[in-house]
Amino acid sequence: MTKKNWWQEAVVYQVYPMSFQDSDGDGIGDIGGLTQRLPYIKQLGADVIWLNPIYCSPNKDNGYDISDCQNIQPTYGTMAQYDEMLETAHKLGLKIMMDLVVNHTSDQHQWFIESKKSKDNPYRDYYIWHDPVDGHEPNNWGSFFSGSAWKFDEATGQYFLHLFADVQPDLNWENPVVRNEVWDLMTFWLDKGIDGFRMDVINLISKTAGLPDIPKPDNAIYSDATAVANGPRLNEFLQEMNSKVLSHYDVMTVGEMPGATPEKAQEYTNLKGDELNMVFQFEHIALTPNPDERLTKWNDAKVKLTDLKASLSKWQIGLDGKGWNSLYWNNHDQPRAVSRFATDDPKYRVKAAKMLGTTLHMLQGTPYIYQGEEIGMTNVKLDDISQYEDIETLNAYQQFVVEEKIVDKETMMRYFATMSRDHARTPMQWASAENAGFTTGKPWFNLNPNYTDINVEAALADDDSVFYYYQKLIQLRHEHELIVYGNYEAIDSEDNDVFAYRRHYNGQTLLVLSNFTNQTVMRDYGQNDANQVLISNYTDNKNNVLRPYETQVYLFE
Ligand code: TEU
């Protein structure tokens, strides 16, 4: 039996601030804009807001390259505006979860500016420096953002490690002084009254001693960066973080963990509560095989439903009674849910968005809604590489198309059309008015032209919109402990058209049926004997019939 906590019963709404709402006309979303839109998030019914980084940053990785973690990026506003937003949110009954980025900093952070000055600088060991080996990089580690994970510094004749861009040097967590700096910055924000942290790539902070080479594909130059994850001292570091900081506050924590497995997640989210509450795992968003493993995440394949069911079922069963799942289809790093997992064909988009929402929100775990998902926002059509903005996308083009020539431009553009992070970063679509009501200035990034049809204003005026459907899903979770705590039973794992599962709790059973296809199918799971239909995206549920993208949730008592 899972212990009951508020963060298990909560629903989280993720705000990517630079694309959410601009309030000063500079074309960039900001804190003032978020404050204006808090009532909207409250109306949806979410309990917590996860706010992507708003700290001082050169913005090479849209705020994940932080130069000062205890001050607000001026384009986002002032600390006074932040304090006003936090107070307004709390008055509305909304909690604020901040983004904690402590695997690395910006190379413009004062710590790194000092560290690179000399080998004997007091800050040298805040980062991971290494002598060349045979005149080359110290090992074969690759960066998540293409190329080597090492950059040579001429001034001191050493390499420094950067698992992401070379402007994002990795912090040295082996150094207790660094860990204490992290505890201090966490305490700074927690003492302001925030309600938790989303921890950026937190399972990368422990690196294997000696930094050994990692096995890689023969024809690849570098190893896959994910292989660095889940290092030998990770549990120890998380337990120290918990005892030194987190255990002193009633807060929610979610660790972003590329490469996590259910077995590892059982450790990180254990019921003793001496590490984290939950993790963002990456298995279900990385199911599509690519034709060349050197291309890591890049491909244009459609997700196979049986693979998706197997992955989500494994995590449901793996953490039931042993830990806790986060539930998400998309975020600021992923393509839009309806485009990736169902269809953004205008004929079916609304049905499909509601079907995806049902499939995810009826699972065990804490659901996360990425801004715009609640109105069925879609991927954006970008025809040329010059239209992309994301450093991960641009670096991949440079490495795989220009330098290594292992894929042609047209193919890579198809991969970007499927997988680029930029699909999630088009401005929030508030209205059909100019710039979708996002800004009165020039938007920092392309608007999706479909904002004239897909926007909040239209959604709020339509009783049958995705918005009101998501509102109902959240309401059901708040009303039924069965949805929050019930255990999970997979059904027909080999069915590649319908995702069906049951939940069981205190004598009640939930039956969830979702047709992932544009065909009408028949399925009989005893739904005719149910006491009631809790929710569906079709009004007249014909027994055993599932129309295109039809979803139905039945309650048996
Ligand atoms: O993301 C980690 C990460 O693995 C993704 O960046 C990567 O894009 C992956 O391909 C997603 O499928 C976190 C942040 O969420 C991301 O925005 C940052 O760029 C990154 O860490 C570095 O801080």
Side-chain angles (χ1 to χ4, degrees):
M1 172 60 186
T2 305
K3 192 162 78 72
K4 294 179 181 177
N5 301 281
W6 63 264
W7 41 265
Q8 291 173 297
E9 302 176 1
V11 174
V12 183
Y13 187 86
Q14 181 191 353
V15 170
Y16 192 66
M18 65 196 295
S19 299
F20 191 59
Q21 178 67 67
D22 174 21
S23 67
D24 60 10
D26 66 357
I28 302 169
D30 49 41
I31 294 168
L34 169 56
T35 303
Q36 288 170 9
R37 296 295 185 178
L38 289 173
Y40 167 75
I41 299 170
K42 183 65 179 178
Q43 182 185 1
L44 179 63
D47 308 285
V48 182
I49 293 170
W50 157 26
L51 184 55
N52 287 105
I54 53 167
Y55 320 104
C56 292
S57 164
N59 233 33
K60 297 282 195 275
D61 184 18
N62 292 7
Y64 281 92
D65 49 320
I66 296 168
S67 53
D68 180 349
C69 199
Q70 294 182 247
N71 277 295
I72 305 293
Q73 175 80 329
T75 52
Y76 287 135
T78 64
M79 188 60 86
Q81 286 177 301
Y82 176 86
D83 292 338
E84 180 193 2
M85 181 280 293
L86 184 65
E87 184 184 6
T88 307
H90 284 164
K91 280 179 180 164
L92 285 168
L94 289 165
K95 294 178 182 291
I96 299 292
M97 179 164 69
M98 298 289 279
D99 217 312
L100 183 70
V101 187
V102 289
N103 173 70
H104 48 271
T105 69
S106 162
D107 63 353
Q108 302 307 306
H109 195 291
Q110 198 51 39
W111 296 344
F112 189 74
I113 291 170
E114 284 299 320
S115 180
K116 68 182 296 191
K117 278 181 180 172
S118 67
K119 286 184 184 177
D120 59 5
N121 185 286
Y123 287 87
R124 188 69 173 184
D125 286 342
Y126 271 50
Y127 296 88
I128 300 171
W129 293 92
H130 212 290
D131 288 335
V133 173
D134 302 332
H136 298 291
E137 293 92 347
N139 64 25
N140 69 351
W141 293 8
S143 161
F144 280 95
F145 290 169
S146 303
S148 168
W150 295 95
K151 182 174 182 181
F152 188 65
D153 173 55
E154 297 288 345
T156 59
Q158 287 191 313
Y159 285 89
F160 66 84
L161 181 70
H162 61 88
L163 291 177
F164 290 90
D166 61 9
V167 294
Q168 294 170 292
D170 277 53
L171 284 167
N172 173 17
W173 274 73
E174 299 296 323
N175 182 348
V177 176
V178 167
R179 299 202 299 273
N180 285 324
E181 293 272 19
V182 172
W183 312 154
D184 289 348
L185 76 87
M186 291 177 72
T187 301
F188 169 83
W189 286 102
L190 289 166
D191 285 348
K192 289 180 76 68
I194 69 166
D195 304 286
F197 286 111
R198 175 268 186 182
M199 300 185 190
D200 190 61
V201 290
I202 198 68
N203 68 327
L204 300 180
I205 59 177
S206 168
K207 277 78 172 177
T208 301
L211 309 177
D213 275 354
I214 292 171
K216 61 176 181 58
D218 292 342
N219 57 0
I221 301 173
Y222 306 107
S223 62
D224 182 344
T226 308
V228 176
N230 309 316
R233 298 185 68 187
L234 181 57
N235 298 96
E236 178 193 338
F237 292 158
L238 293 177
Q239 287 163 22
E240 183 182 338
M241 176 193 285
N242 192 297
S243 65
K244 294 269 179 74
V245 182
L246 298 172
S247 57
H248 303 285
Y249 303 86
D250 178 18
V251 291
M252 173 178 177
T253 55
V254 53
E256 184 201 28
M257 297 202 174
T261 61
E263 294 69 32
K264 282 291 181 186
Q266 286 169 13
E267 296 172 21
Y268 307 138
T269 68
N270 69 69
L271 301 187
K272 291 198 302 293
D274 66 354
E275 297 190 16
L276 302 179
N277 298 146
M278 63 193 88
V279 303
F280 282 133
Q281 53 90 11
F282 280 53
E283 196 178 273
H284 66 298
I285 50 102
L287 288 169
T288 42
N290 57 38
D292 181 331
E293 57 186 338
R294 291 175 294 176
L295 289 172
T296 60
K297 66 180 269 188
W298 302 106
N299 65 78
D300 61 354
K302 282 300 280 179
V303 177
K304 193 160 177 271
L305 181 61
T306 48
D307 293 344
L308 181 64
K309 288 162 61 168
S311 175
L312 290 174
S313 298
K314 181 169 77 168
W315 279 88
Q316 286 287 296
I317 293 160
L319 293 187
D320 188 11
K322 300 188 181 87
W324 196 250
N325 276 291
S326 68
L327 306 170
Y328 73 101
W329 288 128
N330 51 187
N331 55 38
H332 64 293
D333 292 332
Q334 298 301 325
R336 286 284 176 180
V338 73
S339 303
R340 175 83 173 132
F341 291 102
T343 178
D344 51 27
D345 174 339
K347 184 178 175 190
Y348 295 115
R349 180 186 61 83
V350 170
K351 292 280 190 226
K354 293 176 179 178
M355 182 277 292
L356 286 176
T358 310
T359 305
L360 190 84
H361 282 252
M362 293 297 110
L363 289 171
Q364 186 189 87
T366 298
Y368 288 72
I369 300 167
Y370 180 60
Q371 67 181 48
E373 177 187 339
E374 79 281 6
I375 59 170
M377 278 177 65
T378 70
N379 282 359
V380 61
K381 188 169 172 3
L382 301 175
D383 301 315
D384 188 84
I385 188 64
S386 62
Q387 291 177 286
Y388 284 92
E389 190 271 343
D390 167 35
I391 187 170
E392 179 187 56
T393 301
L394 297 174
N395 284 8
Y397 185 86
Q398 183 62 25
Q399 177 182 0
F400 297 127
V401 175
V402 177
E403 291 172 9
E404 296 181 18
K405 297 184 173 44
I406 55 178
V407 63
D408 62 62
K409 176 182 175 182
E410 289 66 33
T411 303
M412 201 66 186
M413 291 305 291
R414 279 206 323 274
Y415 294 170
F416 294 158
T418 307
M419 296 296 287
S420 173
R421 304 193 301 180
D422 275 331
H423 292 300
R425 298 164 181 198
T426 59
M428 182 68 183
Q429 296 170 191
W430 295 104
S432 56
E434 188 185 14
N435 294 331
F438 163 70
T439 179
T440 56
K442 182 180 182 311
W444 72 274
F445 187 47
N446 319 298
L447 277 148
N448 191 323
N450 66 16
Y451 76 83
T452 52
D453 300 317
I454 303 172
N455 60 69
V456 166
E457 185 182 60
L460 294 179
D462 171 5
D463 291 345
D464 195 34
S465 66
V466 181
F467 176 88
Y468 290 119
Y469 193 90
Y470 264 67
Q471 189 184 58
K472 176 75 185 292
L473 289 171
I474 295 169
Q475 187 186 333
L476 287 172
R477 178 170 288 270
H478 287 159
E479 288 169 357
H480 295 270
E481 290 201 341
L482 162 62
I483 296 172
V484 179
Y485 297 111
N487 60 33
Y488 172 88
E489 176 198 351
I491 303 173
D492 279 351
S493 54
E494 294 316 306
D495 185 339
N496 199 42
D497 297 328
V498 171
F499 192 161
Y501 61 85
R502 289 190 184 89
R503 304 281 311 284
H504 302 282
Y505 185 75
N506 284 355
Q508 292 182 319
T509 293
L510 201 69
L511 171 64
V512 182
L513 310 179
S514 293
N515 181 0
F516 270 69
T517 75
N518 59 6
Q519 302 299 311
T520 296
V521 296
M522 301 288 289
R523 293 290 188 279
D524 182 358
Y525 296 112
Q527 58 266 37
N528 303 335
D529 302 328
N531 295 81
Q532 58 175 307
V533 177
L534 285 186
I535 192 169
S536 172
N537 60 354
Y538 280 77
T539 47
D540 52 340
N541 302 112
K542 293 182 174 50
N543 294 336
N544 307 342
V545 172
L546 288 170
R547 286 152 289 188
Y549 301 103
E550 181 162 3
T551 186
Q552 302 165 356
V553 179
Y554 294 90
L555 176 65
F556 298 74
E557 294 184 283

